[in-house]
Amino acid sequence: MKTDIKKAYAVLETRRRIVGVKLVKTKEEFDTFEARELYAPLSYCVCVKCAMSGAALKFTAENSGCFGSTRALGMEKPAQDFYDGSEGIMLGLYQNKSLAATVAGNMKIISTPTYGVIVKPLENFEKAPDVVLIVTDNKNLMRLIQGYTYMHGMQTNFNMIGNQAVCVECTVTPLQTETMNISMFCSGTRYLARWKNTEAMAGIPFSIFSSVIEGVRQTINPVEMDERKSVIEKKLDQAGISDMDIIYGHTYYTDFEKQKAQERKRERRRSQKSG
């Protein structure tokens, strides 16, 4: 896991720490994790942002400060007004109750009881977490998708509603679908956690985190420009990961443009000779 984490920080541009999340079922397991237990209610997404600055936190339903994430993470059973669409209509998020009910029925929610949640930098986990969360800009999200595609093929089931971004879209959805998901965040977390307008989040099941990051590494040569390649190569060397040749002056798209330019030049020469 440590090598994968070093590799991730080398091949991606991340201003925030990469975070792991673990949902635990018992108090006994909860107590085994080293983290500061919340003493006052705090929203899950704010905990995640704190972890991206280095904090190690854990909490139970008692100090879960957001009813949406408390429900999504399995610490509270969904109420009937959630499933019948009443809640969605009350919040003004849907044009009618039927549509709100349909979305609620399709929303990913942990159905078995969760005792508590552990949130901290990935490198600080004692054992494997359930999900890895990465907040970055859209260019790096592109690289994560390219890495996923390189190793696993097209992700055809991105699941987004623009609401419950950190809890549903990036934690529960990857956990239940066993594939990466992307979120543009939601209004609630943008207000509470003060994410930058240019930021978005990827949620990756820990089970495929290693392969996705390796996919990002394997696509450095075909997609990254020389300036970025130089930065990545130095970071990989510093991390002790130097078993790959970085090829400068090459990307698939610049090579293609050079080829088209040469073809145009040959065509002009042929036209001049025939004229």
Side-chain angles (χ1 to χ4, degrees):
M1 182 167 73
K2 290 183 179 180
T3 299
D4 293 327
I5 296 168
K6 290 179 180 179
K7 189 189 302 182
Y9 283 122
V11 300
L12 297 170
E13 295 178 272
T14 55
R15 293 180 175 85
R16 302 187 190 277
R17 303 274 281 276
I18 297 171
V19 163
V21 177
K22 182 74 176 178
L23 308 183
V24 299
K25 300 302 181 181
T26 66
K27 183 180 186 304
E28 290 73 24
E29 184 181 11
F30 184 79
D31 290 340
T32 65
F33 286 90
E34 293 185 8
R36 179 183 179 186
E37 188 169 356
L38 297 184
Y39 60 85
L42 191 66
S43 296
Y44 170 63
C45 61
V46 176
C47 290
V48 169
K49 189 177 182 184
C50 290
M52 289 182 175
S53 295
L57 303 173
K58 60 182 181 179
F59 62 94
T60 62
E62 181 181 0
N63 285 318
S64 178
C66 166
F67 69 90
S69 62
T70 304
R71 175 181 62 213
L73 298 173
M75 291 187 288
E76 181 179 281
K77 289 184 178 181
Q80 182 59 32
D81 64 353
F82 170 70
Y83 282 121
D84 69 15
S86 299
E87 180 184 302
I89 287 296
M90 177 191 70
L91 296 174
L93 296 173
Y94 305 95
Q95 66 173 331
N96 58 60
K97 189 175 179 179
S98 175
L99 183 60
T102 299
V103 173
N106 289 325
M107 197 177 294
K108 306 300 182 185
I109 289 176
I110 299 296
S111 58
T112 56
T114 296
Y115 177 82
V117 180
I118 318 298
V119 185
K120 55 184 177 177
L122 184 57
E123 59 267 30
N124 292 349
F125 262 85
E126 300 88 341
K127 53 186 177 180
D130 295 318
V131 178
V132 177
L133 303 179
I134 300 176
V135 167
T136 184
D137 59 25
N138 55 12
K139 191 266 186 181
N140 283 276
L141 289 179
M142 174 196 75
R143 293 294 290 122
L144 284 168
I145 294 170
Q146 288 173 333
Y148 178 94
T149 304
Y150 180 89
M151 300 296 285
H152 300 281
M154 182 183 292
Q155 210 294 54
T156 59
N157 294 299
F158 283 115
N159 192 314
M160 291 183 279
I161 56 174
N163 295 306
Q164 295 199 237
V166 183
C167 57
V168 171
E169 292 182 337
C170 284
T171 303
V172 182
T173 297
L175 185 59
Q176 291 191 343
T177 62
E178 299 183 343
T179 192
M180 181 171 69
N181 202 41
I182 300 294
S183 174
M184 300 298 109
F185 285 131
C186 60
S187 298
T189 191
R190 287 194 177 278
Y191 172 74
L192 292 170
R194 296 292 192 266
W195 305 106
K196 294 181 179 179
N197 288 343
T198 54
E199 291 180 313
M201 178 179 279
I204 307 172
F206 181 77
S207 60
I208 65 168
F209 172 70
S210 177
S211 65
V212 170
I213 296 303
E214 178 60 17
V216 175
R217 188 176 76 122
Q218 291 295 333
T219 52
I220 290 168
N221 283 327
V223 306
E224 297 283 14
M225 296 293 286
D226 284 357
E227 182 179 359
R228 179 70 187 136
K229 284 177 178 175
S230 178
V231 172
I232 293 172
E233 186 172 34
K234 290 176 182 176
K235 287 184 176 180
L236 287 172
D237 287 342
Q238 291 170 356
I241 307 169
S242 55
D243 59 341
M244 177 181 178
D245 291 329
I246 303 295
I247 302 173
Y248 291 89
H250 154 74
T251 67
Y252 80 85
Y253 49 91
T254 54
D255 287 353
F256 185 55
E257 289 302 313
K258 289 175 184 176
Q259 180 183 345
K260 289 195 295 183
Q262 291 171 352
E263 290 174 354
R264 288 193 295 267
K265 185 180 291 186
R266 286 194 291 268
E267 182 62 31
R268 285 195 297 269
R269 288 175 179 172
R270 285 194 292 266
S271 297
Q272 291 170 356
K273 288 181 180 179
S274 62

